Amino acid sequence: MEAWKLAGRSDDSSLAFQPPGIIAFKPNTCEVTMEKKVRAHAVISGRVQGVFFRVETQRAAEGFGVLGWVRNRRDGTVEAVFEGRQQDVDVTLNWCRQGPRMSRVDKVDVNWQDYTGEFKSFDITY
């Protein structure tokens, strides 16, 4: 596998804060890659309402540079749409699998969709 480095970073801990567009370069070459943008629709089941799940999901998504929305559903689950770079959405989904301290996540169902770029922020909706 070829080695790639993140543009302007010595490690990948700050990956969510890379500027859009040119993300990585192959050392000693002029090759550049564009990160794939994705959209994930997730439904999170368990004890996920009344435990600050939405506000903490918003905080996590914003921290990882992901856009979209999160809301409670009448059936007791939480629904969210995440858009951004593949790795940032993946990290956000992994966070959802753990959830905030008071929650208990039993399952995260993810439906991958085409990226739309329709969001300007990450919001809590009702």
Side-chain angles (χ1 to χ4, degrees):
M1 177 170 254
E2 298 180 50
W4 289 79
K5 290 186 179 179
L6 298 175
R9 302 285 184 200
S10 59
D11 68 349
D12 63 355
S13 63
S14 300
L15 200 52
F17 304 104
Q18 293 287 330
I22 298 173
I23 304 302
F25 66 94
K26 187 175 175 185
N28 303 319
T29 72
C30 292
E31 291 182 52
V32 177
T33 185
M34 299 289 281
E35 282 291 322
K36 179 180 178 186
K37 299 245 181 163
V38 297
R39 177 184 180 109
H41 177 257
V43 176
I44 302 103
S45 304
R47 190 174 77 199
V48 293
Q49 291 191 12
V51 293
F52 302 101
F53 202 97
R54 290 175 300 160
V55 72
E56 293 298 329
T57 299
Q58 180 184 42
R59 183 175 297 156
E62 289 173 345
F64 296 127
V66 172
L67 307 176
W69 54 262
V70 62
R71 67 179 172 198
N72 284 343
R73 294 184 0 166
R74 290 184 182 193
D75 64 1
T77 61
V78 168
E79 178 181 25
V81 171
F82 303 107
E83 279 199 347
R85 294 183 306 162
Q86 176 82 57
Q87 59 209 36
D88 299 334
V89 171
D90 287 342
V91 170
T92 305
L93 287 168
N94 285 337
W95 182 90
C96 286
R97 290 180 178 95
Q98 301 301 310
R101 185 171 46 94
M102 298 294 289
S103 70
R104 184 195 75 248
V105 177
D106 294 334
K107 184 167 71 167
V108 177
D109 290 319
V110 179
N111 179 25
W112 293 98
Q113 301 171 344
D114 291 334
Y115 177 80
T116 66
E118 69 183 274
F119 303 112
K120 302 266 188 264
S121 61
F122 193 92
D123 300 314
I124 296 172
T125 63
Y126 301 93

